[in-house]
Amino acid sequence: MEPDPSWYSVKHFKEEGFERKRCVVGGEWFWTLDHSRTTCGEAPCVPYTFLDKSYTKSSLTLTQSRKLFIDYFAKRGHTPIEPRSVAARWRDDLYLTIASIVLFQPYVTSGETPPPANPLVVSQPCIRLSDIDNVGLTAGRHTTIFEMGGHHAFNNPGKTIYWKDETVRYCLDFYGSELGIKPEDITLKESVWIGGGNAGPCFEVAVGGLEIATLVFMEYSVDASGTWHPLPLKIVDTGYGMERMTWLAARTPTAFHAIYGDLVKSFADKLGVEIPSADVLHDVAKYSAIMNLEGDQSIANLREKVSSSVGIPAAQLTKILSPAEAVFGILDHTKTLSFMLSDGIVPSNSGEGYLARLVLRRALRLKKRLPNPVPLEELVSEQLKLWGKDFPRLGRMVGTVLEEVVLEEQRFEESQVKARSVLGSMLTKWSGSKPPSTEDLIELYDSKGIDPYTVAEFAETRGFNIRIPDNFFTLVSERHAYARKPEPKGKSLDQVLLEQPPTKKLYYEEPGRLEFNAKVLAASGDKVVLDETCFYPEGGGQPADQGTLKMGDKSFSVVDAQLLRGVVVHFLDRPVDDLVKPGVAVTGYVDPERRLRHTQHHDATHILLASIRTILGPHIWQAGAQKGFSHSRLDVTHFKKLSQEEFVAIEDLANRVVQENRKISVSYVPRTQAETKFGDTIYQGGAVPGATLRLVTIEGFDVEACGGTHSELTGSVGIIKILKVDQIQDGVTRFVFAAGKAALDHARSDEAILSGISKTLNSDREGVVTRLQELVEREKRREQVLERLQSDLTTLLLEKAEVVRSSRGSIRILDLGDYPYLNPSTVVARCADSVDGIVIAFSNNRIALASPKHGPDISGFITKLKQRLGGRGGGGKVFGEVVLPAEFRQSFDDSVKLLKEVFDGD
């Protein structure tokens, strides 16, 4: 939607004499009291003049800025609310909290649910990775983590709290009365803000070149096509930059000095870097807004522009600034990681964990540029200590966070080693006429975790260069900023089914009821909609109920049920005929065994998840779950392999909760009230829609928003047995378990297996383990004897080997045709360093080759052999293996001749 000039007409501007002008540099419209001003007052249209001129009455720390802001608005009727997690657990479309308004999207902003207070004020830590490659380059204008001071008012059609005029007055008064900034030094640039599915006109507020606040007047929603629609509410959504305000007041050479204080020198000393003098940084910082990587801009080109402004050659400027910029980036990233990991984000290969790993690995990359290899854990520890004073949740997670960082740094180093084995063939392809594109590098990072700098380092050893875009991590983060929402169900259904009124959900109202009478509302093919039902539709990882629907003298099996737009659609085993019309009476029967097992497993999922969280820590979040008939699975975020002691403790706690027969209750609570009382942990099972949440409470143990079927007492679960625990990917652990009757089935199955083993070993049950240990030890001894015999046989075969002289030296060829139990690869590995020259062993259609450590390179020979004979295989300079086609048949003498020809031709 094109901006409308009327959007920006504010009564206060007219009263105070503000003039609307057009910036001669950028062309944007802005408002000012300084009638001689010709620019919008915001970088890069102007340099950072606040570094030369004091606009505020005193210096501030970040803590003081936050308190000043909160107190100002609290005195003016705004209720302060606590900031929430940087992980947007309440959203199904967004991983990170990118603005304070995200706390209220989409349910408050749409008018579905009231805000926690109105008006309110909050200083919310936010994370945006859209400018991650700019961090450090722009003197602190860009950071991945920042606090957004937001004062918000939600104006209903019948009640206006305040709107544009009051918002502008608050802004000018706050900066004037609290910071001492003169109104004529403030500019308000007209713009539009879009984010999180909402949009509206806004003013960007700047002083001395620095944007310090954005005043958004949110009055539209934005659909998937980009079309704007009026909201039922008009929302004041302001974003005051706490770090920007602190920098403006402190006038330090960079924002990092204002934000981190003594931590700048501490980090620089640890990393072995000397930060440039304040004079140099001051001159560079004035023009640092130029260093903004956009499109195909490069750091080198932008550095040239800064160079011409400050009068220092670009090469010298890079030498002076580059180490300091890396320190600033590490300062920012370690703070970001402190918040991400403290809020339960576990680095992994998916979701918000992917973004945490991206930040962490960029920090490690920056650290590699610097002299001292200080562990990242040591730097993160300082951040936790500093910010834990203002955000106590960071102090509670120190041990877990530092352990995660240590493991992630180890994994990063291991990935560098593994990368070299993957990159060989790729670099051979890229060393030709087609270098890797940016898309190739992003795909490699996404699929194998190999960053482009590792690729470039390895390519350099092969004698060619790879160009890496300077905004690489930004490009990657943009692809992973938003969660992928599943395709909406019901697209292929006859719409008459979905046009019915909401189905009465007897499975909630009377959860123990499994037989019911209802009337048909609509039918199409093998699908039926009823006015009410006891059939639970699939949802929350719980499969749908099955059973029977009887219509007169006809009976249909219900094979599935789905909830679509409030309507439960029953899927039958065959199409209904034309006799099934709206109004026809039906009787439904839910399969009791299936419902019981699913209910027991759903109860057990909640109990087990809370037990895991209790034993392992609050970083545990559900990453997926599926309830089944014979067993269920629960995936959780966790950063290391589970120990046996932890396994036992989790299972013991879960079963203790079952035996205590605690009450399980269901309540319907307004969303805002539920979030205020219980926090974001109610979204363990994922984001839940609606203004009212269905909360399932296990007395004194767990509260979750959930739509599944549940018992009234934990004792109904019977028993919980963990069957298996696997780390299915970095950062995600899977628990496979059974509960109730399913657990009993598994116990009986295990009993039968044990009895069979006992019978086979001719041992009683108590002696099975001892008997197995004896057999294993006996097998080990046999393996040792066999190993010695095979080694002796290999020596004999080597003595009898056919020795062929070639242009590349001697070749010993061993025929293993009479010894099928000898592995050709094992044989040549034993022989390679005990003789001069190359050793080749072949058996049937398999050929293995080895060369001594300082012997000839056989990689080309392997390639020629495959080309000559077909087959598959590969290898390197000192070892290789080729598997020939199954039809390959040749005498030993002919094979020797062939191998000599191929080797001489290499």
Side-chain angles (χ1 to χ4, degrees), residues 802 804-809 811-815 838-843 846-849 861-862 864-866 868-869 882 884 888 890-906:
E802 182 81 19
V804 177
R805 303 292 172 185
S806 78
S807 59
R808 303 290 294 278
I811 309 172
R812 286 175 170 78
I813 305 176
L814 286 70
D815 181 6
I838 295 163
V839 179
I840 301 176
F842 68 91
S843 176
R846 186 179 293 271
I847 300 176
L849 315 88
F861 174 69
I862 296 167
K864 291 281 180 63
L865 192 62
K866 287 194 295 180
R868 179 78 176 268
L869 301 176
V882 177
L884 300 174
F888 179 80
Q890 208 165 256
S891 68
F892 178 70
D893 290 340
D894 288 341
S895 297
V896 170
K897 183 180 178 183
L898 172 67
L899 291 168
K900 184 176 184 301
E901 288 176 4
V902 175
F903 211 92
D904 280 339
D906 177 37

Side-chain angles (χ1 to χ4, degrees), residues 82 84 119 123 258 331 471 891:
E82 288 296 314
R84 290 175 75 171
S123 185
L331 270 164
N471 62 340
S891 68

Side-chain angles (χ1 to χ4, degrees), residues 825-892:
S825 298
T826 305
V827 168
V828 297
R830 285 187 179 126
C831 299
D833 290 322
S834 60
V835 297
D836 293 329
I838 295 163
V839 179
I840 301 176
F842 68 91
S843 176
N844 296 325
N845 65 330
R846 186 179 293 271
I847 300 176
L849 315 88
S851 177
K853 286 181 181 178
H854 303 292
D857 181 350
I858 61 172
S859 56
F861 174 69
I862 296 167
T863 302
K864 291 281 180 63
L865 192 62
K866 287 194 295 180
Q867 291 172 345
R868 179 78 176 268
L869 301 176
R872 54 188 171 79
K877 295 180 179 180
V878 297
F879 177 80
E881 187 176 60
V882 177
V883 180
L884 300 174
E887 65 273 10
F888 179 80
R889 293 287 184 274
Q890 208 165 256
S891 68
F892 178 70

Side-chain angles (χ1 to χ4, degrees), residues 56 60 170 189 414 527 603-604 688 698 800 807 842:
T56 63
L60 295 168
Y170 276 137
K189 186 173 75 175
E414 291 166 3
K527 304 167 188 68
D603 291 338
V688 179
I698 299 174
K800 296 179 180 181
S807 59
F842 68 91

Side-chain angles (χ1 to χ4, degrees), residues 346-350 357 361 408 411 638-639 727-732:
V346 174
S348 69
N349 296 325
S350 61
R357 179 165 283 170
R361 293 200 168 183
E408 279 297 306
R411 287 171 181 150
H638 189 46
F639 53 89
Q727 198 164 13
I728 59 172
Q729 60 171 272
D730 278 352
V732 180

